[in-house]
Each structure stands twice: as C-alpha cells, then as structure tokens.
Amino acid sequence: MSKFAVIHCQPAMEDFLKKTTLSWSYNDDQDVSEIDVIVPDVEYTVADGYYQDPDEQLCEHYGIDYNLVNCIEAI
C-alpha cells in the first residue's frame, strides 16, 4: 500500500484548502490549472457492510469535495 496520495483538484478548492493544514500547491504543468493536495493514505474500511469507492472515502476523510477532484494517484 502506498503511504501517500496526491489528489488533483479543481482550483475551486483553494478557499477550503487555505483553511486547512493540508499540503497543497498549484500545478500549471497541464493545459488546465489544478491544485495538487498531498495526503497520507488511509486504510480502506467497509462501513456498515456497504462498499464505498476508496477514492471517495479518502476525500471524505480529508473533507475534500469529491465532485471537484480530477483524479487521485498513489505516490
């Protein structure tokens, strides 16, 4: 299991991220600007017997709006 993940978010997440202690930065290497948030990975858990997408669960854990996420990578 990877120890960290990078969550590639839309710039609309900036105001939220400024209020947190999460490590983040702008990534202008692509055609569209995005924010990269580096977080420690969390262990996937099944809640009440229901499957939840592991990416959604990771974002929920850190309070990141999954609807504003472009992709997530293990690092």
Side-chain angles (χ1 to χ4, degrees), residues 1 14 26:
M1 175 183 228
E14 181 178 10
Y26 270 98

Side-chain angles (χ1 to χ4, degrees), residues 32-46:
V32 178
S33 294
E34 67 181 8
I35 295 175
D36 294 342
V37 184
I38 298 175
V39 295
D41 204 358
V42 295
E43 180 102 17
Y44 176 75
T45 57
V46 176

Side-chain angles (χ1 to χ4, degrees), residues 11-45:
M13 287 295 303
E14 181 178 10
D15 288 340
F16 166 78
L17 292 168
K18 284 181 177 178
K19 297 174 187 172
T20 71
T21 59
L22 297 174
S23 176
W24 62 276
S25 64
Y26 270 98
N27 180 353
D28 292 323
D29 292 343
Q30 301 176 8
D31 294 337
V32 178
S33 294
E34 67 181 8
I35 295 175
D36 294 342
V37 184
I38 298 175
V39 295
D41 204 358
V42 295
E43 180 102 17
Y44 176 75
T45 57

Side-chain angles (χ1 to χ4, degrees), residues 45-61:
T45 57
V46 176
D48 299 324
Y50 293 101
Y51 171 82
Q52 181 182 18
D53 183 292
D55 290 347
E56 287 183 37
Q57 193 174 84
L58 178 69
C59 290
E60 186 178 284
H61 178 82

